């Protein structure tokens, strides 16, 4: 083989992030180049031209002097951006239909869960209490989505099709059909004042760290049939001030929360989120990446790049996404 090798640096700890599983997929789609698992491998760093990574340790990529591109196997690149030794080569985000559709499934599921009062109904079931409450229509609720990239825009379209009113907020101006779009710090307050269910799909950057805080929660709209607003965070754990979330749930500023991500993962066993009656907790699997789709995506990107084409979905390092 004369083509540069592809190195895999995968640190996950769950079944979906098994390095052996990922290598098997890449061996299938990169048959004309070496695919190297770096853990325990005898690797000549100069042989490596590409790296496919998930949560690499700081400094792990610095040794590859001939690296031409880095492919992040998940949606968030904040861990990579925090590595001061990261080689100055293109960093490519995952952007495949499979990941987008899985995130839309998660967002739609949890919006409907809160809209259809599932926490109350499951409590009623446990207590063997037959006491249905009035159920309002989807059109009575405004879902506000923070982050109108590929994931947020797709979720917005599906929720709109179901019948919800949908608003969206992003750092720069975006347009999504039938969605009221807000942009920039100057329009954040207006966006929040319309929102009954707040969905956060923002990237984690220095500007967005702890953006989900008491000040934001206090501005959410309380004039819907739901009463207290709801938070859904399927973005990154660093977006949320977890102390503020717990206090807001306890004092009624928030009526409920669905949280897929946390500042410390796995979530410690003593975290109050595990048992909080107003929290629906999931283990960072809102849009678990499919190795088949992602490995094909990376292989196609490399082939196009080596043929003189441009890489797609390259991260703007100044913006952090």
């Amino acid at each position: 083989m004369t083509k540069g090798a592809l190195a895999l640096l995968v640190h996950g700890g769950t079944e979906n992030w098994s390095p052996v599983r990922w290598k098997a997929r890449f061996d299938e789609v990169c048959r004309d180049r070496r695919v190297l698992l770096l853990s325990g491998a005898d690797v000549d760093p100069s042989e490596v031209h590409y790296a496919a990574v998930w949560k690499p340790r700081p400094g792990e990529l610095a040794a590859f002097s001939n690296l031409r591109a880095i492919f992040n196997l998940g949606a968030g690149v904040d861990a990579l951006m925090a590595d001061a030794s990261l080689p100055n080569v293109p960093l490519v985000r995952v952007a495949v239909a499979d990941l987008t559709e899985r995130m839309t499934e998660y967002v739609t599921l949890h919006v409907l869960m809160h809209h259809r009062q599932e926490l109350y109904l499951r409590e009623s079931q446990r207590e063997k209490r037959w006491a249905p409450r009035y159920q309002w229509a989807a059109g009575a609720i405004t879902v506000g989505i923070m982050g109108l990239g590929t994931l947020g825009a797709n979720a917005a379209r599906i929720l709109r099709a179901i019948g919800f009113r949908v608003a969206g907020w992003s750092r720069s101006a975006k347009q999504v059909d039938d969605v009221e779009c807000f942009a920039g710090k100057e329009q954040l307050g207006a966006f929040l004042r319309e929102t009954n269910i707040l969905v956060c799909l923002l990237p984690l950057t220095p500007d967005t760290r702890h953006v989900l805080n008491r000040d934001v929660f206090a501005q959410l709209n309380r004039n819907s049939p739901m009463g207290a607003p709801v938070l859904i965070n399927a973005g990154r754990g660093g977006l949320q001030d977890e102390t503020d979330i717990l206090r807001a749930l306890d004092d009624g500023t928030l009526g409920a929360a669905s949280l897929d991500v946390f500042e410390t993962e796995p979530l410690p066993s003593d975290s109050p989120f595990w048992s909080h009656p107003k929290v629906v907790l999931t283990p960072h699997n809102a849009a678990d990446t499919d190795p088949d789709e992602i490995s094909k995506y990376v292989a196609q990107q490399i082939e196009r790049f080596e043929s003189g084409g441009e890489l797609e979905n390259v991260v703007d390092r100044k913006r952090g996404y």
Side-chain angles (χ1 to χ4, degrees):
M1 297 183 187
T2 58
K3 293 187 175 183
L6 170 67
L8 293 180
L9 294 86
V10 177
H11 303 295
T14 62
E15 180 182 1
N16 195 53
W17 291 105
S18 161
V20 174
R21 182 184 183 203
W22 280 92
K23 184 177 187 306
R25 299 306 194 275
F26 275 107
D27 282 337
E28 180 67 24
V29 297
C30 297
R31 296 184 180 183
D32 56 350
R33 78 176 71 244
R34 289 188 71 197
V35 178
L36 305 170
L37 267 183
L38 293 193
S39 55
D42 182 14
V43 177
D44 176 0
S46 66
E47 181 186 355
V48 174
H49 287 186
Y50 306 98
V53 305
W54 179 242
K55 297 184 178 179
R57 299 184 181 97
E60 274 193 306
L61 291 163
F64 304 121
S65 58
N66 291 326
L67 201 61
R68 302 180 67 190
I70 301 166
F71 297 89
N72 193 55
L73 296 175
V77 297
D78 47 286
L80 277 166
M81 296 297 294
D83 183 358
S85 68
L86 192 69
N88 188 25
V89 300
L91 171 59
V92 179
R93 293 184 290 108
V94 164
V96 296
D98 175 78
L99 186 149
T100 301
E101 290 161 3
R102 291 181 189 218
M103 182 60 80
T104 295
E105 287 177 358
Y106 180 92
V107 171
T108 304
L109 168 68
H110 285 263
V111 166
L112 287 171
M113 182 186 305
H114 295 291
H115 161 61
R116 294 303 299 253
Q117 306 177 80
E118 279 296 298
L119 292 182
Y120 168 74
L121 293 173
R122 298 291 70 78
E123 177 188 30
S124 297
Q125 180 180 354
R126 289 190 298 271
E127 297 181 0
K128 302 179 182 179
R129 183 180 67 240
W130 188 278
R133 289 175 173 173
Y134 163 72
Q135 180 59 56
W136 50 86
I141 302 299
T142 297
V143 181
I145 300 178
M146 297 183 81
L148 285 177
T150 302
L151 303 181
N154 192 67
R157 284 188 285 266
I158 298 302
L159 290 168
R160 189 70 190 88
I162 292 172
F164 290 99
R165 301 192 303 255
V166 181
W169 180 86
S170 51
R171 188 172 114 166
S172 55
K174 301 285 179 65
Q175 285 190 332
V176 181
D177 290 345
D178 296 323
V179 173
E180 187 176 9
C181 296
F182 300 82
K185 292 181 179 179
E186 64 279 3
Q187 293 186 353
L188 178 59
F191 162 78
L192 295 171
R193 288 190 293 272
E194 290 195 13
T195 296
N196 308 125
I197 299 177
L198 178 64
V199 177
C200 188
L201 297 175
L202 290 169
L204 179 59
T205 69
D207 289 337
T208 62
R209 181 169 292 279
H210 288 178
V211 68
L212 300 175
N213 56 47
R214 173 168 285 279
D215 179 61
V216 161
F217 306 148
Q219 295 181 67
L220 294 171
N221 186 287
R222 308 178 68 84
N223 298 320
S224 78
M226 294 178 60
V230 168
L231 169 67
I232 299 172
N233 184 16
R236 309 297 289 172
L239 296 168
Q240 62 197 27
D241 184 319
E242 296 181 351
T243 299
D244 278 7
I245 291 175
L246 288 165
R247 289 175 177 169
L249 290 168
D250 290 340
D251 68 16
T253 302
L254 288 175
S258 286
L259 304 176
D260 184 58
V261 290
F262 301 89
E263 292 213 70
T264 300
E265 295 181 0
L267 187 65
S269 60
D270 61 352
S271 169
F273 286 123
W274 284 110
S275 56
H276 200 290
K278 295 182 180 180
V279 172
V280 179
L281 182 157
T282 51
H284 201 154
N285 71 337
D288 251 359
T289 306
D290 177 23
D292 291 327
E293 292 299 315
I294 300 303
S295 59
K296 292 175 188 175
Y297 166 85
V298 172
Q300 290 166 359
Q301 284 254 41
I302 291 175
E303 290 296 326
R304 184 169 57 250
F305 180 63
E306 291 185 334
S307 298
E310 294 186 0
L311 294 167
E312 299 176 346
N313 302 303
V314 175
V315 172
D316 182 336
R317 295 202 184 197
K318 290 183 179 179
R319 299 176 71 181
Y321 59 94

